[in-house]
Amino acid sequence: MKKIRIAIFASGTGSNAINMIRFFENHPSIEVGFVLSNKSDAPVLNAAQALGVEVKCYDNKKVADGDFLVSLCQEHKIDWVVLAGYLRLIPTKLIEAFPEKIINLHPSLLPNYGGKGMFGSHVHKAVIENKETESGITIHFVNQEFDKGKIIAQFRCTIAENEGVSDLEKKIRYLEQGYLPTVIQNTILA
Ligand code: GAR
């Protein structure tokens, strides 16, 4: 039986992409079809390739071309797309071709600390500067606006008074590593 195929889009280090590749390596019904990046020097490309996953890299103009991304995903028989540290807006045509089948990971409790420019450590810095007492991660469907699609799951962590950006970053990474693959699996198989 054909496995359900995921494309992972990632722009950077790829710790979440790699965690998902490992999680789905011998999965009975889900597999990673390819990893796509918009940055030719993104560490995720070598790391994914080393694990035997096909990688693709295109410039920002190409990844803004919805028709191109739709045909690429169709050619590779992709069923779901997961954005793991991917920082470009997803073209409308791809969203229309994959309704509620594109999932994003965001390192805050949306709707707080989302939107354009809110990614990675920028999010943690803003959270710490505002003296929040908790933060967390959000896993959500992607729509036309950055970080605004329907929420699938959120996981929280507390922030003590003396904690800084790097402490929070560690807690967020811990939540992401622990929860993202299973939430993806459960959403796909629901
Ligand atoms: C992750 O913390 C992810 O939540 C965040 O980028 C990091 C990527 O790390 N995504 C965003 O900020 C999206 N707005 P990784 O490359 O090691 O997976």
Side-chain angles (χ1 to χ4, degrees):
M1 204 180 70
K2 176 193 173 284
K3 289 190 183 181
I4 297 165
R5 285 168 63 78
I6 307 175
I8 301 175
F9 290 11
S11 302
T13 314
S15 63
N16 286 289
I18 298 309
N19 191 30
M20 273 191 289
I21 290 170
R22 292 214 167 98
F23 182 88
F24 289 117
E25 219 162 20
N26 296 306
H27 196 282
S29 53
I30 299 171
E31 66 185 2
V32 176
F34 63 81
V35 169
L36 175 149
S37 182
N38 61 312
K39 293 215 163 141
S40 55
D41 57 352
V44 66
L45 291 172
N46 283 341
Q49 208 162 26
L51 291 172
V53 173
E54 195 171 336
V55 296
K56 302 189 171 294
C57 184
Y58 305 104
D59 62 23
N60 288 340
K61 192 165 167 230
K62 203 85 181 154
V63 297
D65 179 344
D67 289 324
F68 168 72
L69 288 182
V70 171
S71 348
L72 180 75
C73 288
Q74 283 169 349
E75 253 168 50
H76 287 265
K77 305 208 175 334
I78 294 301
D79 304 290
W80 291 75
V81 176
V82 179
L83 313 181
Y86 183 71
L87 304 179
R88 305 299 300 179
L89 192 65
I90 297 298
T92 302
K93 285 198 174 152
L94 191 66
I95 296 171
E96 285 170 355
F98 290 84
E100 296 222 331
K101 293 220 161 141
I102 307 179
I103 298 175
N104 183 42
L105 165 69
H106 186 79
S108 78
L109 295 171
L110 293 175
N112 299 331
Y113 302 99
K116 209 166 188 305
M118 275 293 161
F119 59 89
S121 58
H122 296 283
V123 176
H124 309 317
K125 198 164 168 276
V127 168
I128 293 290
E129 276 172 8
N130 284 342
K131 302 195 184 312
E132 301 284 359
T133 54
E134 68 166 9
S135 190
I137 63 169
T138 302
I139 298 163
H140 67 96
F141 290 114
V142 170
N143 65 10
Q144 269 89 342
E145 288 178 277
F146 266 118
D147 305 327
K148 291 268 175 69
K150 191 168 111 198
I151 291 175
I152 300 167
Q154 290 188 309
F155 302 94
R156 292 164 188 274
C157 60
T158 55
I159 306 170
E161 235 172 74
N162 59 347
E163 281 179 336
V165 174
S166 64
D167 301 304
L168 177 57
E169 195 154 9
K170 271 187 213 138
K171 286 183 173 177
I172 295 296
R173 287 205 173 275
Y174 184 77
L175 291 177
E176 291 179 340
Q177 295 290 308
Y179 290 111
L180 181 66
T182 39
V183 171
I184 297 296
Q185 169 194 253
N186 296 348
T187 306
I188 290 176
L189 299 181

